[in-house]
Structure formats: C-alpha cells, structure tokens
C-alpha cells in the first residue's frame, strides 16, 4: 500500500470514528480513533511524534472550543479524544511528501464543502434519522468543522514551515569569507 492510500485509510478511520460518535456509539468511536492514531505512529515514528508534539497540542487546543455546543458531556469527551487523535494523524501525515498527501487533501476539501452545504440543507428530522439524536444546525456545523480542522490546520502549518525554510539564515554568514558555502537559503 502506498503512502497516499495509507493517508486516506487513516482519515477514513477517523471519519468512521466521528460517525460512530455522532450516532452515540462512543466505545467504537474511541477504539477507531485510537486505531487511526496508532496506525499513523506506526507509519511514521515515535520520534516524529515527539518532534511535532507541540503542533499536536496546539491543534487539539484549537479544536476544543468547537465542543462548547455539544449536546452532552459524554459526547464532548469522545469528540475531544477524537480531536486529539485527528491532530496526531494530521500532524504525522504532514511529515510525508507532498505527492503523498496532495490528492487526499483535495478530497478532504471537497468533502468539507459538501458536508457544510448539507448541514445547511438537511432538515432536523433527517439528522435524527441518520444520527439517532436531534442536533441543532449550529452543533452539526461545529462538528463538521471539528472533523476537518486538524487536517487543514496541519496542512497550513506545513505550508508555512515550507515557506519559512526558504528565508536566508544570517547565523551561517557571520563566520567570514572562508565559509562562503554556508550562504544558502533554508
């Protein structure tokens, strides 16, 4: 299995976990979210996770305010854990090559637009039929944003790191003329 398929498999596990959480099957949601995070760590490494741990923490903390409109505390707890697992998966997969993640990010963006559009159009009785519980459109919209916030945030962080890498590093040029090879772009 190549890396773009693994990336989409991890994201698929997360979306299935979110679907179970929205339906009220919290143990299955937690199990699938944890499986997605473990699979991402196995595809990369614990060293990579330790190196990017602050990004995981920041993405998780940025996603937590979206849980303020959750219907109950058990739902918010499961979604909080899924936000953490999604942050781990997203940050680790952004360490892969651009070729591996670009098709997946295009698909995620298309589904984000479709899901946002559906949260506005779908009546409440259809939501009750699909999710097994009534939800306000604000809650449903915040859950859709929560599902996609970590991959998009990690991708934006990756793009910013890549852009900043090309900035001239002055610390290498303070050694005089003998180190002219160090005048590089990073």
């Amino acid at each position: 299995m190549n890396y773009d398929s693994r990336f989409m498999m991890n994201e698929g596990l997360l979306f299935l976990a979110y679907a179970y959480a929205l339906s009220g099957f919290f143990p299955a949601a937690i199990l699938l979210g944890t499986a997605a995070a473990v699979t991402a760590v196995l595809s990369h490494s614990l060293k990579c996770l330790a190196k990017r741990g602050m990004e995981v923490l920041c993405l998780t903390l940025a996603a937590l305010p979206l849980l303020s409109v959750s219907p109950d505390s058990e739902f918010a707890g499961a979604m909080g854990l899924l936000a953490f697992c999604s942050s781990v998966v997203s940050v680790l997969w952004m360490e892969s090559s651009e070729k591996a993640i670009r098709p997946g990010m295009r698909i995620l963006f298309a589904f984000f637009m479709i899901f946002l559009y559906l949260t506005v159009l779908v009546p409440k009785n259809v939501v009750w039929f699909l999710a097994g519980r009534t939800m306000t459109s604000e809650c449903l919209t915040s859950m859709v944003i929560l599902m996609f916030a970590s991959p998009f945030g990690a991708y934006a962080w990756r793009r910013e790191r890549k852009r900043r890498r090309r900035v001239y590093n002055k610390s290498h040029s303070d050694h005089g003329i003998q180190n002219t090879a160090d005048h590089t772009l990073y």
Side-chain angles (χ1 to χ4, degrees):
M1 183 183 300
N2 53 10
Y3 267 86
D4 56 347
S5 299
R6 286 183 190 181
F7 173 60
M8 288 311 294
M9 182 196 70
N10 270 107
E11 290 295 332
L13 280 175
L14 280 173
F15 282 114
L16 187 58
Y18 279 118
Y20 275 131
L22 285 173
S23 298
F25 297 111
F26 300 118
I30 291 169
L31 181 69
L32 282 172
T34 307
V38 168
T39 306
V41 169
L42 291 176
S43 295
H44 293 81
S45 69
L46 283 174
K47 182 180 176 183
C48 184
L49 179 63
K51 186 171 81 171
R52 299 288 179 208
M54 196 57 145
E55 290 179 22
V56 171
L57 182 66
C58 290
L59 283 174
T60 303
L61 291 177
L64 289 181
L66 293 170
L67 296 175
S68 63
V69 294
S70 63
D72 58 7
S73 63
E74 187 178 356
F75 182 75
M79 292 302 264
L81 179 67
L82 289 179
F84 173 73
C85 292
S86 180
S87 298
V88 168
V89 168
S90 300
V91 167
L92 286 179
W93 276 104
M94 292 308 139
E95 292 295 312
S96 297
S97 69
E98 187 75 25
K99 184 180 176 184
I101 60 172
R102 183 176 288 156
M105 291 307 294
R106 286 182 182 154
I107 292 169
L108 286 175
F109 185 73
F111 274 105
F112 177 63
M113 290 298 152
I114 291 169
F115 284 179
L116 275 182
Y117 187 67
L118 287 176
T119 59
V120 174
L121 288 182
V122 173
K124 288 184 182 181
N125 56 356
V126 174
V127 172
W128 181 83
F129 177 72
L130 293 175
R133 65 174 66 208
T134 57
M135 293 182 163
T136 63
S137 66
E138 294 86 15
C139 179
L140 201 55
T141 303
S142 69
M143 293 306 122
V144 168
I145 292 171
L146 178 69
M147 290 187 329
F148 291 97
S150 292
F152 292 154
Y155 190 68
W157 215 317
R158 173 195 167 101
R159 301 287 294 196
E160 182 63 23
R161 271 197 328 257
K162 193 173 182 179
R163 187 186 67 80
R164 294 181 125 231
R165 193 179 320 156
R166 295 187 183 131
V167 175
Y168 180 70
N169 192 349
K170 188 175 180 337
S171 67
H172 288 249
S173 64
D174 291 339
H175 301 294
I177 194 74
Q178 70 270 15
N179 293 329
T180 56
D182 288 337
H183 292 267
T184 57
L185 294 176
Y186 290 95

